[in-house]
Amino acid sequence: MIVVFGSINMDLVARVRTIARPGETVLSRRADSFYGGKGANQAVAAARIGRGGPAAVAMAGAVGADPFGSACLDNLRDNGVDVEAVRILDEPTGCAFITVDESGENAITVASGANMAVRATDMPEQLLARASVLVLQMEVPVAESLEVARRARRSGAVVVWNFAPVPAIEDHAHLVELLAATDVLVVNEHEAISVAEALGEAVAGEYLKAAGVLARSYGPVCIATAGARGAVAVNPDGTQIHAATRPITPVDTTGAGDTFVGVLANGLAEGLEVGEAMQRACLAASHACLTAGAQAGMPLRHELEKARAQG
């Protein structure tokens, strides 16, 4: 089983010609609502790709007692995600405000709401004991995620930690603890550099150098994603595995990284080697960019198999 501990949001999306700069106002014809939150996105990606496979998906997190929260729970259930460990709190459901420009790039502001009230004690021991893979992000309190990661490792689960968005962690020792509790670290180019520099490492703005330092010095397999250039996994011994994306013209890149993480987790839960799981995740992330919204384009298993067959 894959267990995701993380955020659940409603995304409000406006398409614009260009993303607003500081102090600038831009107009959009309309705003649309989509289901989101990095935790929920990753759970949905894993559940969709897992349909017809052996790895079930469960989510632990929190929503508000409001219409957004009810809708988010229904959406998770509809996608095959177990939500028994999602609490309903007297806090507003998390909400993300997203602008997407004509090239498909995005800018995101998140109002965390109930996500900041998530606690490690919300994770039932019996659920964690069933997990072969635990997936974490950085949109719920970091200390709570760290406690869940430690518990998961004690029970034998593989911990996949997506360091996004990179938090302001000033305590060097705390960051080292996070990496020590992680089996597979997933970061994009900018996140890799930010984490390495927060640890005092000199990486000269090079994301592959940063990924190498994180893997060799701190222990996890570090997977660095680089958009259309694919992804690279760096092992603690310094060896690298490369995976390519499918050439596409993106409609919306929102959720592509979460698709990658969820499909990667599914691959690991199904016993794939990191390289094969990463290649499948890259293809799924490409597919997700063809549809607007964080979750709408996440592929089902048969859709991804068709895309793989087409090369």
Side-chain angles (χ1 to χ4, degrees):
M1 171 176 272
I2 300 161
V3 176
V4 180
F5 182 77
S7 57
I8 303 169
N9 291 333
M10 184 65 76
D11 293 349
L12 302 178
V13 181
R15 301 193 67 85
V16 295
R17 186 173 63 82
T18 58
I19 293 170
R21 296 168 296 182
E24 181 183 19
T25 298
V26 297
L27 298 181
S28 175
R29 185 178 182 86
R30 55 182 285 175
D32 296 300
S33 60
F34 300 94
Y35 299 106
K38 295 191 72 64
N41 289 346
Q42 292 168 12
V44 168
R48 284 193 178 181
I49 207 67
R51 288 187 190 178
V57 180
M59 176 93 206
V63 296
D66 51 41
F68 278 173
S70 297
C72 287
L73 288 177
D74 287 343
N75 174 67
L76 288 167
R77 294 188 190 100
D78 290 345
N79 279 285
V81 178
D82 184 325
V83 295
E84 290 302 311
V86 177
R87 295 172 63 208
I88 300 175
L89 304 177
D90 189 21
E91 295 279 349
T93 299
C95 194
F97 306 90
I98 302 170
T99 52
V100 182
D101 71 14
E102 292 176 342
S103 71
E105 288 301 321
N106 62 73
I108 305 173
T109 299
V110 178
S112 296
N115 293 313
M116 283 296 107
V118 172
R119 297 292 178 262
T121 51
D122 297 337
M123 176 68 77
E125 200 61 49
Q126 63 270 25
L127 179 60
L128 202 55
R130 295 165 56 198
S132 58
V133 176
L134 172 72
V135 181
L136 303 164
Q137 324 78 34
M138 290 301 212
E139 289 185 336
V140 299
V142 175
E144 306 302 324
S145 293
L146 179 57
E147 176 57 28
V148 172
R150 288 168 172 160
R151 287 168 53 195
R153 292 192 104 193
R154 289 196 294 268
S155 68
V158 173
V159 175
V160 176
W161 205 324
N162 178 208
F163 262 44
V166 176
I169 298 178
E170 298 178 359
D171 185 341
H172 181 285
H174 192 189
L175 189 50
V176 171
E177 288 180 58
L178 296 180
L179 294 173
T182 304
D183 295 295
V184 180
L185 176 71
V186 183
V187 285
N188 66 22
E189 305 161 81
H190 311 294
E191 292 156 359
I193 294 167
S194 294
V195 174
E197 290 180 344
L199 289 163
E201 303 287 352
V203 295
E206 299 177 18
Y207 79 95
L208 284 180
K209 184 175 181 179
V213 168
L214 294 174
R216 290 191 301 270
S217 300
Y218 301 95
V221 174
C222 183
I223 297 178
T225 61
R229 287 169 290 161
V232 179
V234 184
N235 295 308
D237 65 2
T239 58
Q240 296 184 5
I241 305 169
H242 294 248
T245 61
R246 183 182 184 185
I248 60 163
T249 299
V251 172
D252 183 1
T253 61
T254 307
D258 293 333
T259 302
F260 180 93
V261 174
V263 175
L264 176 77
N266 172 265
L268 297 176
E270 292 188 356
L272 299 183
E273 296 294 330
V274 168
E276 186 177 358
M278 188 168 65
Q279 185 61 67
R280 190 166 73 170
C282 277
L283 182 57
S286 297
H287 190 284
C289 293
L290 299 175
T291 305
Q295 295 181 15
M298 292 176 173
L300 297 167
R301 180 175 289 255
H302 73 273
E303 292 173 331
L304 191 64
E305 291 302 324
K306 180 178 178 180
R308 292 178 75 181
Q310 293 172 341

